[in-house]
Amino acid sequence: MARPYNPRQARVNRPNSTFETQQIEGRFVNVSRMVQTPPMDESSALSRLRDLEIETPSWGYGNSGTRFHVYPWPGAARTVHERIADAGLVHRLTGCCPAVALHIPWDAVDDYPALQRYAQEQGIRIGAINPNLFGSDEYRLGSICHPDAAIRERAIEHCRECIQIAEQVGSTVISLWLADGTNYPGQDDLRDRHARLLHGLGEVYASLPPGMRLLVEYKFFEPGFYSTDLPDWGTAALACRRLGEQAQVLVDTGHHPQGTNVEQIVAVLLAEGLLGGFHFNNRKYADDDLIVGSIDPFELFRIMREIAHGGGAENIAFMIDQSHNIEGKIDAMLQSVMNIQTAYAKALLVDEQRLAEAQAEGDVLGAHRIVLEAFESDVRPLLARLRREVGVDEDPVAAFRSGGFADALARERGTASVESAYERL
Ligand code: RM4
Ligand code: MN
Ligand code: MN
């Protein structure tokens, strides 16, 4: 039997919604972003592309591997200074990566202002500071959700230390991912863990200076295989709502179960003013941290379409979070950066006017074709023009490959041998 007709439900989010429903919606969502915009011309697309800044991760420049083996890469960065230097090279080759994210204590130094000066010498700045709440024996049962209050306090203290580091290097973003979780049903009390989570995040939030944001990252599994304490965007959003305006959600594109509609999460977080930033990478099965857009470029396009369409991109931190097991680090980072630009350029070409009309007319496949048209456009000439205008090579990967950089780094740094956790036993 057909469900009874509910006029309010039928009107929600339709262009002809009544004043009453608009008011109800307006309390929660930013209705102004629904205003139609004309199709974008090339120079507007270029200026939006020029504004797109991508932050690369220090940990993406070093050797990394799986639990089976770490294959060393000739010339891979070994120290924080080498990681920053590589991020600087990526910026020189692409013209759009002016910041590098740090992971503490992986990138810990004694003198942070000196490290910031070093980054400046490399032509970049230090971006998000990532507290590391998993790389120490005491975190076996969690960090800020640990059953022992003394460990929880140490974890919170580490976050406070990271806030101070951020202040010293002039960064305005703390990017927090918790490895907290459990492996077996019954291992710990889920509601108690949630309470500890909110308390711990509250303590960290209270230490933020004005103007600094706390980006809360979620992940549905790993290293916890039964539960993680921040498993999804909903839990992260609930926490951020409680914390206040300086807390926003960080979407790592590899942190969802198979088949999740990531662009819809992005759309809702944008509408709610809760999208703080991204960790871009690509996945096939798990948290694979592969090159952005390498497995599913259409998903990347759909995500960037929400950014292009929604506006407000200036407040979003576009960060890469990937690690490379069998490939060259800098080459991989360049390919990720270029893939993000490609997806964004295509997303900017969606004919919003025609799409809104097709949607209003209920032209299901007409609307779909308009989105596909943009995805199928060849944006290489547009990106070549962008790169010429910012003074870099039209193909940064080709420039890296032919520029002798890899050989020079391999000569200078050699090939470090790295052992995996198993091999150390
Ligand atoms: C996690 C998560 C974090 C990253 C670590 C290294 O899976 O994505 O953002 O800092 O890996
Ligand atoms: Mn991440
Ligand atoms: Mn991850």
Side-chain angles (χ1 to χ4, degrees):
M1 210 183 82
R3 298 215 343 249
Y5 177 62
N6 175 343
R8 168 157 296 167
Q9 216 175 11
R11 281 200 300 258
V12 163
N13 278 341
R14 294 271 171 81
N16 61 348
S17 57
T18 62
F19 180 67
E20 190 199 5
T21 57
Q22 273 181 6
Q23 268 205 330
I24 293 167
E25 290 155 25
R27 250 190 290 149
F28 302 106
V29 306
N30 177 6
V31 275
S32 62
R33 58 172 281 282
M34 293 173 187
V35 171
Q36 293 174 2
T37 45
M40 195 167 289
D41 56 73
E42 188 170 307
S43 69
S44 323
L46 272 174
S47 97
R48 295 273 298 268
L49 278 165
R50 249 196 308 270
D51 291 341
L52 179 70
E53 291 188 348
I54 300 164
E55 182 169 312
T56 68
S58 70
W59 57 98
Y61 294 106
N63 282 314
S64 75
T66 65
R67 67 185 193 274
F68 302 102
H69 190 66
V70 181
Y71 298 98
W73 188 262
R78 298 158 301 177
T79 63
V80 59
H81 291 89
E82 290 180 357
R83 295 190 274 274
I84 291 176
D86 288 359
L89 174 59
V90 166
H91 182 47
R92 283 199 296 289
L93 290 165
T94 60
C96 67
C97 300
V100 60
L102 299 189
H103 226 294
I104 307 295
W106 291 341
D107 295 316
V109 291
D110 292 333
D111 186 345
Y112 286 98
L115 194 67
Q116 167 67 355
R117 284 194 297 279
Y118 177 75
Q120 278 164 359
E121 283 160 29
Q122 303 301 311
I124 57 175
R125 61 173 190 272
I126 292 174
I129 302 296
N130 292 245
N132 185 317
L133 295 171
F134 50 87
S136 148
D137 294 350
E138 62 192 354
Y139 295 139
R140 186 172 65 90
L141 301 177
S143 62
I144 67 171
C145 303
H146 197 285
D148 181 342
I151 309 275
R152 295 202 293 275
E153 190 44 48
R154 280 215 281 282
I156 293 166
E157 202 40 51
H158 174 58
C159 295
R160 291 198 188 105
E161 183 198 335
C162 287
I163 292 172
Q164 284 164 12
I165 293 171
E167 283 186 291
Q168 288 183 58
V169 299
S171 164
T172 56
V173 172
I174 297 289
S175 176
L176 189 67
W177 172 69
L178 300 179
D180 291 48
T182 68
N183 268 10
Y184 295 97
Q187 178 189 322
D188 199 356
D189 186 280
L190 295 179
R191 264 181 268 180
D192 279 356
R193 290 190 76 93
H194 183 63
R196 293 172 215 151
L197 170 78
L198 294 177
H199 174 78
L201 289 177
E203 294 284 302
V204 175
Y205 188 85
S207 305
L208 289 177
M212 191 177 288
R213 285 190 293 163
L214 176 67
L215 303 190
V216 180
E217 181 174 355
Y218 56 90
K219 175 166 158 175
F220 76 116
F221 91 111
E222 201 197 24
F225 291 121
Y226 167 62
S227 70
T228 58
D229 291 301
L230 270 166
D232 51 37
W233 71 275
T235 311
L238 276 176
C240 291
R241 271 280 149 87
R242 278 177 182 244
L243 292 171
E245 283 186 348
Q246 284 168 261
Q248 288 179 309
V249 180
L250 188 151
V251 177
D252 183 311
T253 51
H255 285 189
H256 310 87
Q258 207 82 294
T260 300
N261 186 334
V262 180
E263 64 270 24
Q264 188 175 21
I265 295 171
V266 170
V268 172
L269 289 175
L270 266 172
E272 296 284 344
L274 279 171
L275 183 67
F278 286 97
H279 269 177
F280 284 114
N281 50 56
N282 215 172
R283 72 189 284 270
K284 175 70 178 152
Y285 300 109
D287 185 19
D288 308 332
D289 285 332
L290 297 173
I291 291 173
V292 186
S294 58
I295 301 292
D296 191 348
F298 187 44
E299 180 191 61
L300 179 61
F301 161 81
R302 298 192 309 264
I303 292 171
M304 294 313 283
R305 147 131 183 88
E306 291 306 325
I307 305 298
H309 175 56
E314 58 286 346
N315 296 320
I316 300 169
F318 295 97
M319 302 178 282
I320 290 175
D321 177 10
Q322 61 188 40
S323 60
H324 317 108
N325 303 336
I326 56 164
E327 67 270 52
K329 324 299 165 196
I330 297 172
D331 200 318
M333 205 63 81
L334 292 168
Q335 295 199 33
S336 281
V337 170
M338 292 172 71
N339 289 351
I340 296 171
Q341 288 182 310
T342 300
Y344 191 46
K346 291 180 178 206
L348 289 168
L349 297 183
V350 172
D351 189 336
E352 299 288 351
Q353 183 76 42
R354 271 173 59 229
L355 180 61
E357 282 162 16
Q359 288 172 345
E361 286 163 12
D363 183 359
V364 176
L365 295 184
H368 176 59
R369 273 168 60 88
I370 291 166
V371 170
L372 280 192
E373 238 171 59
F375 178 63
E376 286 169 356
S377 312
D378 183 358
V379 292
R380 285 173 296 186
L382 183 67
L383 289 171
R385 188 172 151 197
L386 170 80
R387 297 195 178 109
R388 276 198 306 275
E389 287 183 14
V390 300
V392 300
D393 195 280
E394 287 176 15
D395 184 346
V397 170
F400 173 72
R401 289 186 167 210
S402 62
F405 298 102
D407 286 345
L409 288 173
R411 268 197 310 277
E412 183 191 319
R413 298 174 182 171
T415 306
S417 149
V418 198
E419 289 170 335
S420 79
Y422 285 169
E423 287 157 328
R424 246 184 280 133
L425 294 174

